[in-house]
């Protein structure tokens, strides 16, 4: 992992302001994404619970449906199956898709509905009609449950994907982006400090030099005064140079 | 005297039939089967009965549909052997028995053809006892009218179509209604034939067929509550050869719910007994179960008399019931749902 990386940027006050703003932005983004990941995770667990429940129920319903098929066969012989298969024309049990929104993620939801009447209401008219009615009811229940299960499982898979992506992003921000910005910020601060120190040192040095130069001229002046020569130079208006105001 | 005349043509076959009848599974066999844990156990137990090694060449794991097919195959072989050796009038009698399977096959073929399914898919699904020569020809017809004019008139079932179903009916009527109309015509024709034969055959067969007719009338009535079948249409499906004709049928035609049907049955002693114990609560036998039991009893009684054709019909029906029983037990074992495993209909 690139642990020592920081952004390549010219260290200045402006850059420091920029970096501070970016850090704040990254932190806000991180907390928002974390909230989204938590919401998705909660929904995920809910769906998981429902899937387990539906699957166990499915097992029982299918068992009952298969048994009612055996009962119908017992009363009528097994020829009715082929008759029904041959008579199929149009689907009577159809599915509509709807969308459900969870923390910004759209999940598909399947809703089943019946279209058209019962074309097989006369099957088993002379034998086994009751068993057929029970059979139809049981298998209808099984198909409705299957549609629900399909709905839940698609949501499960979609949510899983999205949660992975979101978690990846959260981790990326937490472990890569924010440290990088912080490092950059530290670097800028350290560079600025050093520049200041350098400035300070330069000023101090100049001060020293000026002091020494002044001391030299004063010594020379004192020596001259002692020897009786007074050299007083009046201010020269033509002298353009401004003396240092500070030092 | 009567016996020796019968034995000239039918003696060998009756003896054969009675031999087959002795091979029908007894109560002890059923008790063994009910205790099986897997289908392999079931196969083992069946090996000890008359069925022998009929499942020997099947690859494991066994499926219930395979058992069903093999049981039916054995029955078909036995019946066809008897049919091949029969002469008039036994041959016509046996043909009449196959007409009910033919009706089922034709309905299947008509449904499939009208929905443009390939004939090669449909033929294997037909019942082997009901096959007839024109089966392949059915797919040539594209509309019901062609079907009627070109194909159906050549089949042995033509008279049943002619009497009650016209071309438009084939188009408009629900396929199940057609099936039940055909069956009514078939029952009435069979009944007339048996009555013509006279003697012991007429005695035993007419009783069995009368019960079948009444049973159909009652069940059609009960099953038609809550459907679109009008009372007039219902009347057209009642066979007129049972004990309920004409008063019982008229009363059934007016019935609106189960209680009224029960009230009609009160007038007839055997049917009252059947309605008595029946109910839909778990633990009680359903009405259909009671009808099955009564049918089995009538069929078993047919064997008490000799020198008549009724034994062949009864043998076929009892064997079929046995197939259904074994398949039921196999399904319960395979699905591990043993609560209702004792709901088979005991024969002997």
């Amino acid at each position: 992992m690139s642990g020592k990386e920081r952004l390549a940027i010219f260290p200045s006050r402006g850059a420091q302001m920029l970096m501070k703003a970016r850090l704040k932005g990254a932190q806000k983004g991180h907390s928002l994404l974390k909230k989204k990941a938590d919401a998705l995770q909660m929904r995920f667990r809910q769906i998981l619970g429902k899937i387990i429940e539906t699957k166990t129920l499915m097992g029982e319903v299918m068992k009952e449906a298969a048994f009612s098929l055996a009962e119908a066969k017992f009363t009528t012989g097994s020829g009715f199956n082929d008759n029904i298969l041959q008579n199929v024309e149009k689907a009577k049990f159809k599915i509509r898709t709807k969308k459900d929104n969870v923390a910004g993620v759209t999940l598909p939801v399947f809703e089943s509905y019946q279209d058209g009447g019962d074309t097989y209401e006369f099957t088993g008219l002379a034998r086994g009609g009751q068993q057929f009615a029970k059979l139809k009811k049981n298998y209808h229940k099984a198909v409705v449950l299957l549609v629900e299960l399909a709905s839940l499982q698609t949501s499960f898979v979609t949510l899983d994907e999205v949660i992975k992506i979101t978690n990846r992003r959260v981790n990326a921000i937490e472990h890569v982006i924010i440290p990088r910005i912080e490092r950059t910020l530290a670097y800028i601060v350290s560079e600025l400090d050093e520049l200041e120190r350098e400035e300070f040192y330069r000023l101090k040095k100049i001060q020293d030099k000026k002091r020494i130069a002044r001391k030299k001229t004063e010594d020379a002046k004192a020596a001259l005064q002692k020897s009786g020569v007074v050299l007083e130079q009046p201010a020269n208006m033509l002298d353009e140079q401004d003396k240092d105001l500070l030092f | 005297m009567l016996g020796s005349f019968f034995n000239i043509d039918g003696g060998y076959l009756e003896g054969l039939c009675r031999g087959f009848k002795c091979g029908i599974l007894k109560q002890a066999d059923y008790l063994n089967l009910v205790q099986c844990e897997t289908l392999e156990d079931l196969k083992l137990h069946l090996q000890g009965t008359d069925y022998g090694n009929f499942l020997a060449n099947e690859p494991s794991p066994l499926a219930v549909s395979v058992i069903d097919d093999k049981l039916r195959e054995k029955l078909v072989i036995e019946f066809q052997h008897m049919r091949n050796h029969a002469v008039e009038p036994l041959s016509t009698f046996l043909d009449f028995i196959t007409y009910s399977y033919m009706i089922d096959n034709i309905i299947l073929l008509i449904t499939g053809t009208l929905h443009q399914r390939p004939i090669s898919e449909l033929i294997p699904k037909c019942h082997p006892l009901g096959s007839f020569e024109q089966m392949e020809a059915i797919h040539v017809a594209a509309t019901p009218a062609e079907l009627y004019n070109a194909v159906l008139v050549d089949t042995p079932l033509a008279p049943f179509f002619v009497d009650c179903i016209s071309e438009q009916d084939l188009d408009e009527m629900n396929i199940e209604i057609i099936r039940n109309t055909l069956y009514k015509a078939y029952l009435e024709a069979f009944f007339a034939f048996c009555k013509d034969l006279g003697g012991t055959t007429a005695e035993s067969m007419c009783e069995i067929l009368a019960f079948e007719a009444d049973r159909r009338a009652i069940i059609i009535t009960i099953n038609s509550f809550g459907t679109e079948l009008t009372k007039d249409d219902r009347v057209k499906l009642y066979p007129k050869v049972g004990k309920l004709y004409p008063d019982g049928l008229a009363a059934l035609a007016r019935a609106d719910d189960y209680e009224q049907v029960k009230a009609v049955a009160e007038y007839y002693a055997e049917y009252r007994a059947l309605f008595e114990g029946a109910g839909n609560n778990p633990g009680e036998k359903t009405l259909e179960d009671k009808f099955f039991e009564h049918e089995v009893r009538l069929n078993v009684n047919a064997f008490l008399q000799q020198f008549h054709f009724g034994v062949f019909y009864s043998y076929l029906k009892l064997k079929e019931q046995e197939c259904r029983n074994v398949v039921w037990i196999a399904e319960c074992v395979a699905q591990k749902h043993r609560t209702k495993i004792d709901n088979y209909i005991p024969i002997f």
Side-chain angles (χ1 to χ4, degrees), chain A residues 47-195:
Chain A
I47 291 189
L48 185 64
K50 261 208 278 194
I51 285 188
I52 294 180
E53 203 183 290
T54 314
K55 276 199 177 165
T56 20
L57 190 62
M58 183 85 222
E60 283 167 25
V61 168
M62 281 303 255
K63 210 167 144 202
E64 214 181 292
F67 195 66
S68 59
L69 181 65
E71 277 182 341
K73 276 199 201 161
F74 179 60
T75 321
T76 28
S78 44
F80 64 91
N81 217 0
D82 298 314
N83 264 308
I84 294 183
L85 284 174
Q86 300 304 333
N87 221 350
V88 170
E89 283 178 26
K90 199 169 75 117
K92 263 192 306 143
F93 187 88
K94 301 199 178 145
I95 298 186
R96 272 191 283 252
T97 46
K98 285 207 298 232
K99 290 208 204 295
D100 190 22
N101 193 313
V102 172
V105 181
T106 48
L107 300 173
V109 169
F110 300 131
E111 190 193 299
S112 58
Y113 66 100
Q114 278 215 311
D115 180 22
D118 190 0
T119 20
Y120 300 108
E121 62 176 350
F122 291 138
T123 317
L125 187 60
R127 221 189 240 203
Q130 266 181 333
Q131 274 79 351
F132 277 115
K134 201 162 84 163
L135 182 67
K136 275 189 262 192
K137 213 172 56 159
N138 279 340
Y139 268 104
H140 182 85
K141 245 196 315 190
V143 177
V144 165
L145 212 59
L146 264 177
V147 167
E148 222 180 274
L149 196 61
S151 214
L152 285 173
Q153 279 197 286
T154 27
S155 321
F156 187 82
V157 167
T158 323
L159 262 184
D160 194 41
E161 276 289 318
V162 177
I163 285 183
K164 277 206 194 64
I165 293 177
T166 315
N167 278 338
R168 226 177 280 147
R169 288 197 191 134
V170 168
N171 286 339
I173 295 187
E174 197 178 306
H175 296 285
V176 177
I177 309 276
I178 289 190
R180 202 189 303 165
I181 296 185
E182 283 175 348
R183 259 180 250 123
T184 317
L185 212 51
Y187 159 74
I188 293 179
V189 164
S190 71
E191 286 294 306
L192 284 176
D193 276 346
E194 204 172 307
L195 280 172

